[in-house]
Structures are given as structure tokens and as C-alpha cells.
Amino acid sequence: MSRTIRKAAVLGAGTMGARIAAHLANAGIDVRLLDIAPESLTEAEAKQGLTLDSRQVRNRIVNQLFDAMQKSRPPALYTPGHAQRIRTGNFSTDLAKIADADWIIEAVIENFEAKRALLTQVDRHRRPGTLVSSNTSGLPIASLAEGLSKDFREHWLGTHFFNPPRQMRLVELIPTPETKPEIIEFARDFCDRHLGKVVVFAKDRPNFIANRLFMFLLMDLLKTMQIHELTIEEVEALTGPLIGRPNTATFRLADFVGVDVCVFVSENLYRLVPEDEKRDVFVPPAFLKQMLAKKLVGDKAGQGFFKKAKDGRLVLNLETFEYGPAQPVNLPVLETAKKIPDLGARLRYLLSRDDRAGRFLWSTWSELLLYSAARIPEVTDHIASVDATMKHGFAWERGLFEIWDAIGVMETAGRMEAEGKALPPLVQKLLRSGSTSFYKQEKDRRFYFDIASGAHQRVAEQPGVIRLAALRERDRVLLSNPGASLLDMGEGILCLEFHSKANSVDPAVLAMLRSAIEETEAYYEGLVIGNQGANFCVGANLQYLLALSRAGRWEELRRAVQQMQQACLAARNCRKPVVAAVFHQTLAGGCELALHAARVQALAETNIGLSEMVVGLVPPAGGTKEMLARWMAAVPAGGDPIPYLKQAFETIAMAKVSQSAAEAVEWRYLRPDDPVTMNRDRLLADARQTALALVRAGYAPPAIPPMIRVTGRAGLAALQVSIYLMQQAGYITAYDAHVARRLAHVLAGGELANPVAVPEGYLLELECEAFLSLCGEPQTQERIEYMLRYGKPWRN
């Protein structure tokens, strides 16, 4: 019988344990979440006459942690309802219940003896053959299981999830020499397919890949900062998006992780790696110890390097340990560097500068690159594992060895040697081989430098993954224009790929959509609409709309709206199945297109919604019509349609955007039978399979255009009352109310006297007229301009 995971037990309900349990629940797994039982009663419990044996008391700690997880931001659960898959309990009375679990994850405090004691009990209660893992960021995996049963050791490995587990894609798997190969492969495949993870294999060395490199980076950076006399504000400006790292940069990340955790891990590393040539870097600088003494340990204490205040964020002075307003950053190099779009070119410029910023960046980058290269093959055999760790565990734009290639291996290695720095064996082997880069690309094949063979080896293709770049290299592009391309995915399925600015809908995209449908109907089995950019589609090209509106080119604008409406209808009416492979931002026109697809293959992390209202517009391409149809279809026979009309109105008027595919189903942006993919890498391949399944099932488009139920004046009056009350309460502005009334007019079916079913063309015309009218309003034009300029809405 093939192995699967239906039930899991997570032991430890702290920050990581509760959130791992939440993500397992997101994946449809029933979870038992356990933690310690209290050793004493609270005053309130004593007054109630409770005892330590009371179930309420025994589960107090785990329930408090479980409740905290449900309130956490960003959300750990796809929807609040997913919490129902998690049952809480305690180690004292419920540990034996782990016998029904298919996977047991130990996630208690990062203490070897505490973990070891718990695992000894787990070995007594687990069912033979059950997968067991420890969520540790660096404790020795084999040693934790030493002396436990043979079956336990054969099914045991490390699984280092990253915080927050739902949002961070990386998981480090750390097998031991005794872990069965089939268990290793099962864990890798399950984390990939069912949890959406990028899996890297790390060796059982202290702190594995991620924390070994991160702690070196952090401690070296803190010491170099002092040498070059940089402030916290300056280091934040230099170590964030400017160099391809996230906005959390250095100190906000340290506050998030916990200053105390950073000190603990770093000191532990110093003790555990006596042979490390850079061991002394792990001795924390004195100011970190002083911060611990003053309990300035980061976000969990409300104060670390930063402290939240009513008027903004205060910054710690590392000399006085007092907080004050952030000081302006006076580094002239920043303005020039920010204008360089390519990360490699930007880094080359920054590292060449002979000023405080340049010297600081060169020192920290060169030390990190050398240290990372020296850790191969100690922590992993593959440079790609290091790069995946930095990209998916720390949200870097590129991996370390990809960055080294971008700034020039020969040039930087020469500079390092001139400064008296020894090159690690990996770099020496690379240069001796005659190569000047860690990676090579030959058409659709990628190669990495392998230290064992001293040569470049091909990066293995991952089964079940389609890369559009590889299709382009294989001459699978059938048609292309500046906005989109049509590619042959194989097995009779085409892919329409957007590559317009921000994947927005513009005339070129619409033209390619028409061609894609024609080609599909004539020669192929189905069509997938998808891409591998940052987002599926952010909607219409607002710059184009604003230009037409301000020029008063109303007929041209009307034609543009009608073309978008016709494109959506053509996708729905296509004689072959059209599947929209949506992910991340799927907004406005992108959402409208998905609403008309035969099926949507949605990434679990999809932010989908009709967002036009934030710029003072109503959805014009059938989005309003489709949401009305979906909500009205839910009205029970003989039921009152007004509450359902209000639901449709609220969803659009509030520009609700889902935080997950599961939430999108609740709001009817997705249908219950639209399949969901957990791992973005697999989205297009899954969408192709969905299209093929529809073909095999004998797919046929809707026989006739649907008639849609509208409420007429009764529904319009109900919506207008709601709008009036919202405005009177100060929740919306006068102009918000004006736009909302135009939306209400469309959803009610205009001024019809009585409830009736109308053809969709009638509603499409109402959408178009409302949209064009609002485009002519100065306030809407101001909102669009503000969004284009600042990337956020303005409620004028």
C-alpha cells in the first residue's frame, strides 16, 4: 500500500509548532497539536474550583498558543475554518493518541535534552512505520535519535520549516545514514506536492545550511558595521532591496527572529564548530549582550533594534541604548545605485565604490561568498541548494552563487587574493577547470559546477514541472506580440503567456487571446492561460485607460471595453476547454478573465478579486455580471434574493481580494470544483492536466448564454439604503458612495420595475455604461493617477 499522510501530530505549540500544524491543516490534514500541561493553577482557575487534572487546565497552555496562532499576522491559516482540522491536547494525557498519526513532528523548545526526552516517549507510543521528524534549526539529527528503536531511526529525519511556515517556501530535509531511502524520497515528494515547499537536502552539520550561513552573515555584518562606523539606518538602506534582499534587510529581520535567538544560535555555533576557519565570527559583539541584559530582544518584546511608537518606528542608539526617531541616511551612492535596474550591474557598481558604503558592502559580500563556498561539501554537496536556501528561505532575489556569477567570479576572486584572502577549494577547482561561472546555460539546459567531479553537471529537470523558458528554447512559440505569446505545452494543450507590463491586459494581450482561441479551436485540445512572472494579471493597463479618458476618446474607450467583454465571452464559449492558471495577484481584468474560464487551476496562495472600485471604477468586462450570477444561483427556491444581492455588492464594492484560494471559494471568485495547486512550480503542469481531464470527460461549452436573475428597483433601493448608512457613519466618502451607486445600478439590473431574468448582454451593456461614465469623472481620474504614481489607493 502506498504511503500517505492523512493525520499528523505536532508536538509543541509555540510559534513554529502551531504554524506548522496550521499549514498541515491548510493541506487538508487532520492534526493533533500537543504541548505541556501547566504545573500550577492560575488565580482564576483556583476560584472556579478547577484542579490540575481538569481538562480545561491541562490544555490551557496549548489552547492559548493555538488561539495566538489564529490571530497571527500574516495569517497562518487559509481561512479561519481550517482551524477545525486541528485538535489540541497535552503531553501528560494525550501523548498515546499519536499512535494514529501518519507523521509526527517534534517542535518543542530548541534544547537537545528536552527534545531527546520527548522523542524517547514518542518511540513508545508511535505506530511502527510512522514518519517522525524534528523541526530544529540546527541540532544534530542523528544524535537526537541515538539509542531509540531501529524502526524509529529508519523513519526519522530533520525537517526545518521556515517562519512563517505557510508563506516561506523552503524546507530543509536532513536525513541520517539510517533513514530509509524511500522515507527520504517520500518526505521530499510530500513536502513538495502537498505542502508547496522548495526542498533542499542539508547534511547533519550544526545549523545545517540556512542558519550556518545566516548567522555568519549577521555576525560579520554587525562587526563590519562598527569598523566602518555605519548607523542602523544606513545598514538597513544598504542591505535590503538595494542588494536584492527583502525589505526586512538586517535589523528588522533580527528583531523578527529574536535578538536572543540570534545570540543563542551564534554562541552555540562557536561551541560546535571548533574546526571552522571563521569560528571567531560567531562570537557576538558586546552590544548584543547588552541588549539581552536590557531585554531588548526584538518583536516579541516590543523592542529590539526598533521600537514601535504612535508616530512611527523608533531606532535604538547602540551607544546609549535609548530610542529615538530614525535619522536621515546620508549616502550619496544610494541615489545613483537605485537607478540601475539590473541587480548584477547595481552590485558591481556598489562594490567598486571607494567610500563607506562601498567598503562596507565589499567587505561583507566578499566574506560571505568565501565562507559559503568553503562550506561545500560540508553542509551540502550542491551550490544550487545554497542558492535555493537564500532565495526561498530568506526571500533573496538571487542565490549566493548566482550573485557571484553576476558580479564576476574572475574579477572578484582576483581582488580577494590581492587582499590576502584564500580561495576555498570549490573556487580553486572552478577556476582550474577553465570556467568563469558557477552556472552555465545551453539553450533550455542549465548546468551547475559540481565540486566532486570538478566539472559542470546538468541540473536535473523536476518531474511534473513545466518551464515556459524551456519551451521557448525548444522553439515551442507559435505566435507572439509585445503583450503575450502562444506556446505549445505538449499533449495537445496550448499556453497563452502574458508578458505585458505587470502582466496587465492591453490591446496586444487581447489580440493574442483571440488568436489563441482560434488556434485552439482549429488544431488543439485545450488552452491554459498562465505565466511564470510575479503575478497572474494585475488588471487593465491603467495608463492606457487614463490617457483615453483625459483625451475624451470615448468611442475608442468603449471599443476597448467591448473587446475585453468579447474576449472573456470567447474564452467561456470556446469549443475546447480554457483553464486559467491563476496565482498571486489576480486582480480586476485578470479576475474577470478567470471568472469566464471553463476551470481555474488556482495556486493555494492566490490573491484574486475585483479591485476596480479602489480607483473609482466598476468591473466592466463581465466581472459584475458573473459575481451576480454566482450569488443569485445560491438563492434557495422561494428564498429572498436581496441578502444574496448584498453579498455580491459587498464583495465588489469593498474590492475584496482573497488571501488564499480557499477564501476565494467562500467569496465565489472560485468554484468549489476549481482545483488547487500547493506548489507554484507545478501550477502550469497541473493546469494542463486539468484541461486534459476536461477533454477526456467530453467537454462542451455552455449551450446557450445564461439568463441572470436581477431584483430591479427593490434590490436597488436596498443597496442605496446600505450606501447611505455607510456614508452617514463615515465609513465611505461622498465619492465612494457615488461609485457604489453606479455599481448598485448594474447589479440590480437598472431601473427595472420587477424582478426578472435578463440576458447577460443586458448586464454587460450596463457595466460598460457605468464604467465609461466613471472614467469621465475627474475624481476617478485623480484616483487612477494616484495609483499609477504611488502604487496605493487614494480616497478623494
Side-chain angles (χ1 to χ4, degrees):
M1 185 178 70
S2 61
R3 180 179 292 271
T4 189
I5 304 292
R6 293 189 179 89
K7 295 182 179 181
V10 178
L11 311 182
T15 298
M16 285 302 293
R19 285 156 183 77
I20 291 170
H23 196 52
L24 292 171
N26 290 335
I29 298 166
D30 293 326
V31 186
R32 193 181 300 279
L33 178 64
L34 307 182
D35 210 304
I36 59 173
E39 295 181 352
S40 62
L41 297 173
T42 65
E43 186 176 333
E45 289 168 342
K47 286 182 179 179
Q48 295 175 55
L50 299 174
T51 68
L52 287 175
D53 290 331
S54 303
R55 184 77 181 169
Q56 178 182 334
V57 174
R58 290 199 305 268
N59 284 357
R60 184 214 318 144
I61 293 174
V62 70
N63 286 338
Q64 287 174 342
L65 294 169
F66 178 62
D67 291 343
M69 176 274 290
Q70 294 181 81
K71 298 172 185 173
S72 64
R73 292 292 178 270
L77 294 161
Y78 287 160
T79 71
H82 281 77
Q84 296 174 9
R85 287 191 174 276
I86 302 173
R87 291 172 293 167
T88 58
N90 64 88
F91 296 152
S92 298
T93 58
D94 298 316
L95 196 58
K97 296 176 183 177
I98 66 174
D100 67 356
D102 303 304
W103 184 6
I104 301 166
I105 302 176
E106 172 275 306
V108 298
I109 187 172
E110 195 76 350
N111 176 279
F112 183 89
E113 296 304 328
K115 287 179 181 287
R116 173 78 180 166
L118 179 60
L119 291 170
T120 301
Q121 296 183 62
V122 168
D123 194 16
R124 290 200 294 267
H125 295 299
R126 67 180 277 275
R127 185 178 68 245
T130 299
L131 174 65
V132 191
S133 69
S134 174
N135 184 67
T136 172
S137 61
L139 292 176
I141 300 301
S143 297
L144 282 171
E146 191 174 329
L148 299 182
S149 68
K150 183 174 184 291
D151 185 82
F152 184 104
R153 299 195 310 274
E154 290 176 340
H155 295 82
W156 163 253
L157 73 167
T159 48
H160 178 207
F161 290 88
F162 283 65
N163 191 25
R166 170 186 164 184
Q167 285 80 12
M168 298 305 293
R169 293 189 65 200
L170 190 77
V171 63
E172 288 181 298
L173 291 189
I174 309 96
T176 77
E178 293 184 89
T179 312
K180 286 185 173 181
E182 59 268 29
I183 293 301
I184 298 172
E185 174 55 24
F186 172 79
R188 183 208 64 76
D189 185 71
F190 189 86
C191 288
D192 170 350
R193 294 178 186 272
H194 297 280
L195 300 184
K197 298 302 178 184
V198 173
V199 178
V200 298
F201 286 101
K203 294 186 179 180
D204 195 3
R205 293 288 298 151
N207 291 93
F208 316 132
I209 303 171
N211 280 350
R212 183 75 172 272
L213 298 184
F214 171 69
M215 292 316 305
F216 177 87
L217 161 68
L218 179 62
M219 294 302 157
D220 179 66
L221 188 149
L222 295 179
K223 294 173 181 179
T224 307
M225 163 192 173
Q226 293 178 300
I227 293 170
H228 294 281
E229 300 181 338
L230 268 69
T231 65
I232 287 177
E233 295 92 332
E234 289 172 332
V235 171
E236 289 296 90
L238 288 170
T239 58
L242 183 76
I243 59 171
R245 298 179 192 171
N247 285 321
T248 47
T250 298
F251 296 103
R252 275 177 287 177
L253 179 58
D255 276 352
F256 175 76
V257 173
V259 177
D260 54 340
V261 173
C262 292
V263 171
F264 171 80
V265 174
S266 191
E267 290 182 331
N268 206 39
L269 264 172
Y270 179 83
R271 179 176 60 84
L272 293 173
V273 290
E275 74 290 349
D276 192 316
E277 75 282 1
K278 294 288 185 178
R279 180 192 188 203
D280 289 344
V281 171
F282 294 115
V283 178
F287 69 78
L288 284 186
K289 291 299 200 64
Q290 291 175 273
M291 289 178 68
L292 262 60
K294 296 176 181 293
K295 295 183 169 52
L296 309 179
V297 296
D299 292 348
K300 58 192 169 189
Q303 54 184 5
F305 290 105
F306 297 102
K307 182 178 182 179
K308 288 184 180 179
K310 290 182 180 178
D311 54 350
R313 193 171 51 202
L314 302 178
V315 184
L316 183 68
N317 184 309
L318 295 179
E319 294 182 359
T320 66
F321 293 94
E322 299 292 331
Y323 288 94
Q327 298 301 305
V329 174
N330 184 25
L331 295 172
V333 69
L334 292 178
E335 291 307 312
T336 302
K338 287 176 182 177
K339 295 176 183 177
I340 303 173
D342 177 68
L343 176 60
R346 195 184 320 135
L347 281 171
R348 288 194 297 274
Y349 169 75
L350 287 166
L351 297 176
S352 69
R353 300 285 298 177
D354 188 21
D355 53 23
R356 284 194 311 140
R359 289 190 292 271
F360 166 77
L361 287 173
W362 168 252
S363 177
T364 52
W365 268 115
S366 60
E367 287 296 322
L368 178 60
L369 292 172
L370 288 169
Y371 187 76
S372 302
R375 302 284 67 78
I376 294 176
E378 180 195 348
V379 298
T380 180
D381 291 324
H382 305 296
I383 61 171
S385 294
V386 171
D387 284 351
T389 298
M390 306 318 290
K391 289 190 290 185
H392 302 292
F394 297 102
W396 285 21
E397 189 175 326
R398 299 190 199 176
L400 279 163
F401 294 98
E402 292 171 337
I403 287 170
W404 206 339
D405 279 352
I407 63 177
V409 178
M410 287 283 290
E411 298 86 340
T412 53
R415 184 176 172 183
M416 292 167 181
E417 286 189 304
E419 293 173 351
K421 297 173 180 175
L423 299 180
L426 172 67
V427 184
Q428 293 179 26
K429 276 194 172 185
L430 174 75
L431 297 177
R432 281 200 302 268
S433 74
S435 297
T436 58
S437 65
F438 289 100
Y439 293 98
K440 289 182 178 180
Q441 191 76 32
E442 295 180 6
K443 292 188 176 181
D444 65 320
R445 295 178 298 175
R446 195 180 192 214
F447 297 80
Y448 70 96
F449 186 76
D450 174 55
I451 189 171
S453 64
H456 281 81
Q457 303 294 333
R458 185 175 176 180
V459 176
E461 289 287 340
Q462 191 176 3
V465 171
I466 292 174
R467 291 191 305 112
L468 294 181
L471 296 183
R472 285 191 290 272
E473 289 288 346
R474 295 170 191 160
D475 297 323
R476 295 286 189 88
V477 179
L478 304 182
L479 299 168
S480 188
N481 68 23
S485 296
L486 187 62
L487 300 90
D488 184 352
M489 299 176 78
E491 298 190 63
I493 306 298
L494 297 182
C495 177
L496 174 64
E497 176 196 18
F498 295 0
H499 44 69
S500 53
K501 184 177 181 180
N503 285 347
S504 59
V505 178
D506 61 16
V509 168
L510 293 179
M512 189 56 65
L513 175 57
R514 289 192 295 271
S515 297
I517 291 172
E518 290 172 3
E519 286 286 318
T520 301
E521 289 193 324
Y523 306 110
Y524 292 87
E525 299 293 331
L527 173 67
V528 168
I529 303 174
N531 65 79
Q532 292 176 325
N535 299 293
F536 175 74
C537 176
V538 298
N541 186 323
L542 289 179
Q543 191 74 59
Y544 176 69
L545 291 179
L546 184 61
L548 292 182
S549 300
R550 287 194 163 157
R553 293 155 65 180
W554 304 116
E555 284 308 310
E556 190 173 344
L557 189 54
R558 180 185 293 275
R559 285 196 299 274
V561 171
Q562 290 172 340
Q563 286 171 359
M564 183 62 184
Q565 290 179 343
Q566 291 162 6
C568 288
L569 293 179
R572 187 198 64 197
N573 297 331
C574 180
R575 290 185 287 107
K576 307 291 179 66
V578 175
V579 176
V582 304
F583 63 97
H584 299 166
Q585 290 189 9
T586 303
L587 307 176
C591 176
E592 290 180 289
L593 184 57
L595 286 169
H596 288 84
R599 282 286 187 283
V600 175
Q601 183 78 40
L603 184 67
E605 299 289 350
T606 296
N607 310 122
I608 185 171
L610 296 169
S611 57
E612 288 89 346
M613 291 286 286
V614 299
V615 290
L617 294 170
V618 300
T624 307
K625 175 257 304 180
E626 281 298 308
M627 291 304 290
L628 176 65
R630 292 185 182 198
W631 280 103
M632 297 305 267
V635 179
D640 181 3
I642 301 298
Y644 296 85
L645 172 68
K646 287 183 175 181
Q647 289 276 15
F649 172 78
E650 180 182 307
T651 303
I652 303 172
M654 295 180 67
K656 287 186 176 182
V657 175
S658 73
Q659 296 303 302
S660 67
E663 190 171 61
V665 173
E666 293 182 356
W667 292 347
R668 288 175 166 73
Y669 288 133
L670 298 178
R671 293 158 294 207
D673 59 349
D674 283 330
V676 174
T677 295
M678 293 294 285
N679 192 326
R680 185 190 165 182
D681 296 340
R682 297 182 175 277
L683 182 63
L684 288 180
D686 288 352
R688 182 176 68 178
Q689 290 305 114
T690 294
L692 289 169
L694 290 172
V695 172
R696 289 191 291 269
Y699 176 79
I704 56 174
M707 298 290 286
I708 299 169
R709 183 179 180 182
V710 296
T711 56
R713 290 177 186 168
L716 181 57
L719 295 181
Q720 287 175 335
V721 168
S722 296
I723 295 167
Y724 173 79
L725 293 175
M726 290 283 285
Q727 186 180 355
Q728 290 300 112
Y731 293 119
I732 60 175
T733 69
Y735 193 64
D736 290 334
H738 173 69
V739 179
R741 284 191 289 270
R742 296 311 306 258
L743 173 64
H745 184 264
V746 177
L747 285 169
E751 295 291 341
L752 296 173
N754 300 304
V756 67
V758 299
E760 65 178 2
Y762 174 81
L763 290 171
L764 289 173
E765 184 59 29
L766 289 180
E767 285 185 25
C768 183
E769 293 303 323
F771 182 84
L772 293 174
S773 173
L774 290 168
C775 281
E777 299 272 5
Q779 292 97 322
T780 286
Q781 294 175 12
E782 290 169 1
R783 289 188 176 195
I784 294 174
E785 183 176 28
Y786 192 89
M787 177 64 76
L788 288 168
R789 181 172 296 181
Y790 300 107
K792 57 184 179 181
W794 180 41
R795 297 178 66 195
N796 54 350

